[in-house]
Structures are given as C-alpha cells and as structure tokens.
Amino acid sequence: MSKVPEWIVQHPAGKVKLAIADIDGVLRGKYVSIEKFEGVAENGFGFCDVVFGWDMNDAAYDNSVFTGWHTGYPDTLVQLDMATIRKIPWENGVPFVLGDCAIQENGAHFICPRQLLKKITAECYSSGFAPFFSQEFEWFNFEETPQTIEEKNFTNLKPLTPGMFGYSLLRSSYRNDFMEALFSQLAQFDVPLEGLHTETGPGVYEAAIAYAEIMDAADRAVLFKTAVKEIASKLGITATFMAKISESLPGCSGHVHQSLWNADKTINLFYDEQEPDHMSGLMRSYIAGQLKCLPEILPMVAPTVNSYKRLVEGAWAPTTLTWAVDNRTVALRSLPAGKKSCRLETRVVGSDTNPYLAMAACLAAGLYGIKNKLSLGQPPTKGSGYSEKQYGVLPANLGEATSIMKKSALAKELFGENFVAHFTATREWEWKQYAKAVTDWEKRRYFEII
C-alpha cells in the first residue's frame, strides 16, 4: 500500500515541496510531481551532497573531507519523514515534507543535522527519558524587498516600525495584518505559537513556539524561520534572524527551553516539590552538564561570526558560565515554578542557529551531566551574571570557539569524530571568510587618518 495519503494524490497542485536542512539550518529542497513523490516517499531520492559542501552563500568549502571537487559532488540518499507532512497555507495548501540523510556507507548521515539530533534523542529515550523542548525567536522586520536591500547595500533600511517598543500593543496593531498572518498561518502549518509580541528595538518581534517532543520541536523551529520569511515577503516585508543587526541595538535570541519527562510522558523529572527551589537532582546534573560542556561545543549554539557580537555584556545575552533561578543575565536560567512548566532555558542560543544542532547540543550536554552524575556545586548567581566571571567566560569569537571544539575530546564523545571534524571545518571556513573581508568599520577608522 502506498505511504502517500490520498489527499496528496488528489491535490490540485499536482506537486509536493521537499526539503532538507543544511549545516547552517538553511532549508534546501525542490518541488516534485505527485507521480514522482509516490516513488520517493517509499524509497527516498538522490540529492546532491553539495548541500553539505558549501556555505550559506553557495561557496564551496575548500577544507571539507566529506565532499568537494575531489569527490565529484555525488548524490546522497535523502529519506523523507512522512510524519512531517503538512500543508503550506500561503501556497494554496501545497503539501510539504521534511527529510534527512538516510544511513549509508558514504557516511552523509554522520554530518546531517537532523540525523545527529535523531541520534542524541535515541540515546535520551534509551536512558528512560522523554525530552520536551521548544525554541523561541527574536527577529527584525524591514519594509524592504531583497531587491531594495541590495540597492541600498544593506544600509539605511526602513524598519517595520520605528523606536524601542517592547511588548507594545500599539506597535503590534500597526501591522496587524502581519501579526495575524503569522499566528494563523503558522498554526495551519503545524508550527503553533504560544505567544507573539513586539520586542525592544525597531521592528522587532518575538515568538514562542509551542512545547513538543524534541524532534517535533526542532522541525517546528527550522520551519518557523523559513515560514516567517515567506509570510513576510507576501506582505512586502523582509525578516532577518541575524543575531546582531546593529551594535547600538539588542541582539536576537533563540533561547532553547527543555525538560526531561518519564518514559510514559506523565511526570516532569526536572520538578521536585520536596526541594526548596523545586529543582530535582536530575535537573541539577543536567545543568551541571551544560555548564561543563558549553565552552567546548559553543559553535553549535553560536555558529556565525555575528553570533559573538550578540554575546556582549549588558545586551540581554550571557557572557559567563553561570546559572540561576529566573535571572536573565546568566547563561542557564532555571524556571522551576510548576510540575508541568518546570524547565531550563539555555540563553546562550541566538536566533541565527540551526535548531537541530542547538537542541542536539543542549540535550547531549545535559545528558552528559546525568550520565556522569555531575554535581551542581556552583551556586546560583545573585544579581548580575556579567560580573560573575570566576566560573569561566564564553569564548569571545567564532575562531576561538571553533579551535576549542575542534580539539575537544568531549565534543567528539558527544557527537562523534566525523561530525566534529566536518562541522568545525565549516566554522573555520566561516571565520576565514570574515578574516579576509574589509569592513565599513575599517574604512571609517583608517581611510583618512592612518
């Protein structure tokens, strides 16, 4: 019997949209006919492995062992996950399906972000825990098109609204058509939101995606970023998920919320009503694991050069290896209020992350703490986390962070040598592109006076 639902076979569009996430979390894909889809739904399809051999601007890596000119960029087998089928409401209900690299001898699955998260998730379930996650995003919106942005050379762009209007009902009503489109169409796309509001900054929105088991949560987060951009474009708006758009404005976060439940998903194992702060021993070990691992896996939650422009003091993003209960200046914010809502918020994560890798990093680090029975000996931060540097600070830039991860035995233990080698090579490439670029800052500083 065909794996393809009858409604897809009968869909008047006559096509299906397929996608796979690359190392940066960018969705790469294609449309296929219904006839073609009936075959690939069962057997998968070949997709050029260059999607793991080039950067987000389609420039081929010169340091990739897995694929490159030396391999001829062959196809890799992509297996579709039929559980991810949904309709695209802003494309007249065209069917959409996510996939990932099938397990094969060529080893593509070792570097596929979605496959990596599957691997970490399986380890979690085998340990008796059900992981529930969610990601929230902040992003800037501009009344621009790709063409006008290019014409303006990415300068003097018109924000959707002016001024600093965090949580503003006034500003959210200004482009209520956009707010309404996001809330309703994302829900129809099976990316339900718990909340949507303006954040501080011109044209900044923040959305919290509904909690779900980790694979669903990651799929939703990946689809959210692309969906927001597509919905925005229909209304003459361009959305950006850069971590830091301007040195004078706050950065954009992609905080990951997480909790572990028992195997039948009825009890939140992070909550202990007998403890004064309601944090269980399991949650404490999970937090200890993240504090231990974060410095060695930071590129997975801060993957771009721009990520580190956000991680500066006094800009609503953490800079130190700290934790506390309900404190927005620390790296790890514990929220143990209730039996169902008790969770950890990892605040290092920016909006520019690949959700599959960010969630894999958070979960693997937390499980490391549980597996190794790490004790949360570090006391919670009182007051500002920016000044509490005695427990360590985060690496200052992508080059430094990548060098640490590349040499880390811990990173290789968590994610495997093949993934670490490929991923750090891609981050080295990203750093090299930045290092050779001449910036506007350099011209303004040196052009006349030096």
Side-chain angles (χ1 to χ4, degrees), residues 20 43-49 52 66 74-79 100-112 115 418:
I20 181 173
N43 304 311
F45 65 98
F47 202 52
C48 180
D49 74 7
F52 296 118
F66 166 72
D75 280 353
T76 189
L77 180 65
V78 171
Q79 194 70 52
D100 50 50
C101 290
I103 296 177
Q104 288 182 284
E105 290 184 5
N106 72 353
H109 58 285
F110 289 124
I111 61 174
C112 174
Q115 272 288 359
N418 289 320

Side-chain angles (χ1 to χ4, degrees), residues 174-194:
Y174 173 69
R175 286 301 303 264
N176 191 252
D177 57 336
F178 188 31
M179 280 273 184
E180 174 58 29
L182 290 173
F183 225 103
S184 62
Q185 293 186 31
L186 285 168
Q188 295 170 47
F189 194 47
D190 194 21
V191 183
L193 302 183
E194 289 186 348

Side-chain angles (χ1 to χ4, degrees), residues 112-158:
C112 174
R114 196 169 187 271
Q115 272 288 359
L116 179 71
L117 182 58
K118 278 185 175 180
K119 173 177 174 285
I120 304 300
T121 300
E123 293 170 3
C124 185
Y125 282 115
S126 68
S127 298
F129 309 126
F132 280 76
F133 275 55
S134 179
Q135 193 163 8
E136 57 179 309
F137 289 100
E138 299 166 349
W139 75 98
F140 278 78
N141 299 286
F142 294 92
E143 287 190 343
E144 304 282 356
T145 67
Q147 289 76 21
T148 63
I149 291 171
E150 287 283 349
E151 289 167 2
K152 293 182 177 183
N153 198 27
F154 295 86
T155 61
N156 300 317
L157 305 180
K158 183 182 179 182

Side-chain angles (χ1 to χ4, degrees), residues 351-405:
S351 60
D352 57 348
T353 47
N354 180 334
Y356 294 122
L357 299 187
M359 292 190 192
C362 290
L363 182 58
L367 292 176
Y368 178 88
I370 294 171
K371 177 183 176 182
N372 291 280
K373 299 180 172 61
L374 297 187
S375 172
L376 186 56
Q378 180 179 326
T381 294
K382 304 295 184 183
S384 175
Y386 296 120
S387 59
E388 191 161 10
K389 300 179 181 179
Q390 60 181 309
Y391 302 107
V393 297
L394 297 172
N397 58 59
L398 181 61
E400 178 186 346
T402 299
S403 178
I404 292 170
M405 184 174 179

Side-chain angles (χ1 to χ4, degrees), residues 20-28 51-52 54-56 113 354 356-357:
I20 181 173
D22 70 11
I23 206 74
D24 290 296
V26 176
L27 288 181
R28 308 281 189 169
V51 295
F52 296 118
W54 61 19
D55 66 14
M56 63 187 75
N354 180 334
Y356 294 122
L357 299 187

